[in-house]
Amino acid sequence: MGKRKNSGVSRDEEEEVEVENHSSSNEKSLYEVLNVAKTASQQEIKKAYYKLALRLHPDKNPGDEEAKEKFQQLQKVISILGDEEKRAVYDQTGCVDDADLAGDVENLKTFFRAMYKKVTEADIEEFEVNYRGSDSEKKDLFDLYKKCKGNMNKLFCSMLCSDPKLDSHRFKDLLDEAIAAGELKETKAYGKWANKVSEMKPPTSPLRRKEKSVKQSESDLLAIISQRRSERKDRFDSMFSTLVSKYGGNADSEPTEEEFEAARRKVESRKASNKSKHKLHQALF
């Protein structure tokens, strides 16, 4: 295998979210891949899946073939554990082979669509909207604070859907409240970071990560294209006016053949004159 590219996932996270090829190895169960108990509910399974999908999605790791392969394998994991019937077969047999799990499925086309259902960017955005500001995010924040011993730079590398510019003040308020209540202990690293954050201006809407809808983005793109077309037209008109002022003609209408030919002769005459001057200069010096 070639040199591995940086996927933006820390080594600690990779160890926790390692997705292996279960068609050839039984070292890890599908539940261990998602880091959930065998008795986990569908809601817990889907939450764990979305966390991994967010980290391994090809859009988040452009050019990383290993992350892409893991993401594809993750789709197989959720297609089994996310379906009650297939999950029951897996629990009884431990088999992850598509043919064995298919059982009495009559419509194979529908079956394979279900097996390899794609996670869209809209799915990820929906998860992000529901996650930010939730109790789950708060719990993850506190857990990572303990794990990172108050090192907030390290925490932000592992915290889902987080942005230091948007979330520093929000996280500080949550952590300060927990420290005051005795739920967490303040560390030296956290104290330094908190002092720096206190000197910064907080964002106006920290939870509004995506301010523009897709339609608004498309509208903005069309406006930019229209503006650039207008600018190109203005530059062309300006250039044409300059040519008209130099070589004659009417700027309000297209030049006639006579005007165009006269302008061409003037240009060629100037070129010939410049060449003659250059030759004379070479002869003299």
Side-chain angles (χ1 to χ4, degrees), residues 140-169:
D140 292 343
L141 174 65
F142 290 176
D143 290 344
L144 282 172
Y145 177 88
K146 295 174 185 177
K147 183 178 179 180
C148 299
K149 298 178 181 180
N151 185 329
M152 296 303 291
N153 292 329
K154 187 176 180 181
L155 182 147
F156 271 109
C157 291
S158 302
M159 188 69 187
L160 282 175
C161 309
S162 65
D163 185 334
K165 293 181 180 179
L166 287 176
D167 302 317
S168 290
H169 289 83

Side-chain angles (χ1 to χ4, degrees), residues 84-145:
E84 292 292 351
E85 294 181 2
K86 295 171 190 169
R87 181 182 178 184
V89 174
Y90 170 75
D91 288 344
Q92 291 176 3
T93 65
C95 181
V96 296
D97 184 73
D98 293 345
D100 292 339
L101 286 169
D104 296 329
V105 178
E106 296 179 358
N107 191 337
L108 291 178
K109 186 176 181 180
T110 303
F111 168 72
F112 281 110
R113 280 182 178 175
M115 284 291 291
Y116 300 103
K117 182 181 178 182
K118 293 183 179 180
V119 176
T120 65
E121 189 170 342
D123 292 331
I124 295 177
E125 288 179 1
E126 181 182 359
F127 170 78
E128 185 173 345
V129 169
N130 294 329
Y131 178 76
R132 289 171 58 79
S134 67
D135 291 338
S136 295
E137 182 197 45
K138 184 177 180 180
K139 181 180 182 301
D140 292 343
L141 174 65
F142 290 176
D143 290 344
L144 282 172
Y145 177 88

Side-chain angles (χ1 to χ4, degrees), residues 181-245:
E183 298 177 26
L184 298 173
K185 292 182 180 180
E186 181 176 348
T187 65
K188 186 176 180 181
Y190 174 76
K192 289 183 179 180
W193 176 84
N195 290 334
K196 291 182 180 179
V197 172
S198 298
E199 297 173 357
M200 297 164 53
K201 183 179 178 181
T204 54
S205 302
L207 289 177
R208 294 184 61 187
R209 189 178 180 88
K210 305 231 180 240
E211 296 183 353
K212 295 183 179 180
S213 65
V214 175
K215 289 184 178 180
Q216 287 176 319
S217 299
E218 291 177 351
S219 177
D220 291 345
L221 180 60
L222 291 174
I224 292 172
I225 293 174
S226 177
Q227 181 182 356
R228 288 181 177 175
R229 284 178 177 173
S230 178
E231 290 174 353
R232 285 197 295 269
K233 182 178 182 301
D234 291 342
R235 287 197 296 269
F236 178 79
D237 290 344
S238 176
M239 181 181 69
F240 183 69
S241 298
T242 302
L243 291 173
V244 169
S245 63

Side-chain angles (χ1 to χ4, degrees), residues 7-8 53-62 124 128 209:
S7 63
L54 187 66
R55 291 174 181 169
L56 297 172
H57 197 281
D59 291 345
K60 299 287 185 180
N61 305 280
I124 295 177
E128 185 173 345
R209 189 178 180 88

